[in-house]
Amino acid sequence: MTLKDGLDAPSELTVIGGRPLLGRVRVPGCKGISHRALIFAAIANGRSTLRGLANGADVASTVTCLEALGVKIRAEGDGAVVRGLGFEGLREPTGVLECGNSGTTMRMVAGLVAGRDFLSVLVGDESLSARPMRRVLDPLAAAGARVDGRDGGALAPIVVRGGDLRGFRHELATASGQVKTALVLAGLQADGITEITEPAPSRDHTERMLTALGAPIERVGPSHLRVRAGEPTPFELTIPGDPSSAAFFIVAACIVPESDLVVESVSLNPARIAYVDVLRRMGAQIEITQTGVEVGEPVGEVHVVANRLIATDIAGDESIIDELPVLAIAAAFADGTTTIYDAAELAVKESNRIGTVEQELTQLGIGVEARPDGLVIHGGAPKGASLKSHGDHRIAMAGAVAGLAASGETTVRGFGVTAISYPGFAADLEAIVNPS
Ligand code: S3P
């Protein structure tokens, strides 16, 4: 299957500041749920139907890896039909597993193949090859898989020779939805009981979905999971909109005067929309209405009306880590000084987001100081500038949001990287800043 439709994002985006965002917009399916839905459908024995899959390159990487493991995936409408094989049906890939830019793919697929008696070699692009992998490889080794990687096992390419796993106990040093999911996938293949604890709760799509699909996973506490051997049942799922993609429009509608925007059909999972609380603390006018539930995920719409923002302090826990670049843009337009702290993980995302946000805010004429665990941002009146994406989809879209509210014209170079999570971002934006 190819998920290439609409993958062409413009290589450069120019926006004129001050045009309000009006009307309604629908963002692509949630990327985190899409990766999980594809993997869970692959290990369910039978046919699953997924609608509204995220159409970006990251989710296409997960499709590529699953196909290389023998899973048949057929595109259908805006989703896919997956012929799941159960764990036992996965086959040794004849080539490398190409994970592209997707940390979620690499870490979760490592957990998926850890219990299979064959060799998997996982490779990524330059950015992914610099991101930490020990956090997933060490516990998989403790469970009984043989693992290795470049730089003494720290970096991709990584190698997993799976085999019989035994139930294990692992305490994550850093809360991580990706690592937790990898370990759950290993636990589902292990003999005995697996216990996973985290220093703080991370996003819980995996628990919600697997519980709804009858897999043997139990929440012992908010940061403690117990997993036994088993598989989910095949399923049908309509994937709700991605709250992290919605965040770009929501922040833009907060900071561009006279905006009045509704984002439709978004996952309202509390572990994903905590950024709304931060914006409300800054004075944003945001109303949320739940309209339904989909495989354990609340879904609804978000209505934003522009309002002057004031600075706040933001602790960077895992539930808002992906939205910190765009929250930094909100802070750049707010009255006062915002401190983002406890967010050292920002440095090991698709780019070093502490450094890249600092550089781009400086370009916009904003006073900013980088710290090892975050940023101090002195709000002001950003001026249109020439910005760079640094090969990072979220930095590209955050730059566009800044340009929408800045004075004059802003250009974001390297904008094509938005194809990683949101290929249609520029087109969807054009429709709401210029409603017909
Ligand atoms: C993700 C978890 C987070 C997030 C990433 C997606 C997931 O990463 O930043 O974009 O789908 O579980 P970590 O697990 O590294 O915190």
Side-chain angles (χ1 to χ4, degrees):
M1 168 191 175
T2 61
L3 287 175
K4 297 259 188 290
D5 283 354
L7 277 191
D8 293 329
S11 59
E12 190 171 293
L13 184 79
T14 298
V15 291
I16 313 287
R19 292 155 74 198
L21 285 80
L22 299 170
R24 303 176 74 84
V25 64
R26 189 177 277 245
V27 296
C30 174
K31 186 159 82 74
I33 298 177
S34 297
H35 287 293
R36 288 164 173 82
L38 285 159
I39 294 172
F40 300 159
I43 58 168
N45 213 327
R47 180 190 148 106
S48 292
T49 305
L50 317 178
R51 288 176 288 267
L53 271 177
N55 59 349
D58 267 9
V59 169
S61 293
T62 290
V63 169
T64 302
C65 289
L66 293 174
E67 288 181 332
L69 291 163
V71 181
K72 296 272 179 280
I73 304 176
R74 178 167 53 81
E76 197 178 88
D78 65 354
V81 175
V82 181
R83 287 249 169 230
L85 302 170
F87 284 114
E88 292 293 327
L90 298 175
R91 300 273 167 270
E92 183 168 57
T94 53
V96 295
L97 295 171
E98 299 272 3
C99 303
N101 189 246
S102 177
T104 311
T105 305
M106 183 168 283
R107 292 176 178 139
M108 290 186 188
V109 170
L112 174 67
V113 296
R116 308 324 317 146
D117 183 17
F118 56 63
L119 183 83
S120 301
V121 180
L122 291 83
V123 301
D125 69 5
E126 199 183 327
S127 151
L128 182 52
S129 301
R131 296 179 64 187
M133 291 299 147
R134 237 187 247 295
R135 53 182 67 186
V136 68
L137 293 182
D138 285 354
L140 294 178
R146 279 183 285 163
V147 300
D148 209 343
R150 194 167 57 84
D151 196 21
L155 299 172
I158 61 173
V159 180
V160 180
R161 180 171 284 285
D164 291 338
L165 302 183
R166 47 190 177 270
F168 59 98
R169 210 175 254 279
H170 185 70
E171 204 176 316
L172 274 70
T174 309
S176 162
Q178 296 175 355
V179 176
K180 176 176 66 180
T181 304
L183 302 188
V184 167
L185 288 164
L188 289 172
Q189 303 174 75
D191 245 357
I193 297 175
T194 293
E195 307 267 1
I196 305 161
T197 53
E198 295 187 279
S202 62
R203 59 179 67 185
D204 62 354
H205 301 303
T206 295
E207 297 87 307
R208 285 173 185 261
M209 293 173 72
L210 286 176
T211 304
L213 301 175
I217 174 169
E218 187 190 333
R219 282 190 210 236
V220 184
S223 311
H224 182 177
L225 285 182
R226 184 169 296 146
V227 186
R228 293 180 168 79
E231 289 169 357
T233 50
F235 57 98
E236 287 201 12
L237 167 64
T238 300
I239 294 159
D242 195 311
S244 300
S245 300
F248 297 103
F249 295 135
I250 290 170
V251 169
C254 286
I255 61 177
V256 183
E258 292 171 38
S259 295
D260 186 339
L261 184 73
V262 173
V263 188
E264 298 173 347
S265 204
V266 186
S267 164
L268 301 178
N269 183 322
R272 297 294 307 282
I273 55 156
Y275 68 86
V276 168
D277 295 331
V278 175
L279 290 168
R280 282 180 174 150
R281 221 163 59 218
M282 297 175 83
Q285 282 186 28
I286 303 177
E287 264 178 50
I288 292 184
T289 312
Q290 185 174 340
T291 51
V293 176
E294 199 55 70
V295 189
E297 296 275 337
V299 184
E301 59 181 42
V302 183
H303 181 192
V304 193
V305 177
N307 198 25
R308 187 79 208 154
L309 299 184
I310 45 167
T312 189
D313 287 345
I314 307 174
D317 63 63
E318 216 251 352
S319 61
I320 56 166
I321 196 82
D322 288 347
E323 291 77 45
L324 286 176
V326 77
L327 286 174
I329 301 301
F333 287 87
D335 293 330
T337 297
T338 292
T339 302
I340 297 175
Y341 63 100
D342 276 356
E345 277 292 299
L346 276 179
V348 290
K349 293 296 180 186
E350 287 84 328
S351 68
N352 171 352
R353 289 179 178 161
I354 295 177
T356 51
V357 169
E358 182 201 16
Q359 281 184 48
E360 298 316 296
L361 289 183
T362 304
Q363 285 299 112
L364 290 156
I366 287 297
V368 52
E369 293 130 45
R371 292 183 171 173
D373 73 333
L375 294 145
V376 178
I377 299 162
H378 305 288
K383 292 187 205 50
S386 172
L387 304 178
K388 286 192 295 198
S389 71
H390 301 269
D392 183 331
H393 56 129
R394 297 199 202 281
I395 298 298
M397 290 184 277
V401 171
L404 289 166
S407 56
E409 191 177 286
T410 295
T411 297
V412 185
R413 281 176 288 144
F415 204 75
V417 72
T418 52
I420 291 295
S421 61
Y422 196 166
F425 176 82
D428 287 352
L429 180 63
E430 191 53 31
I432 49 179
V433 290
N434 199 2
S436 45

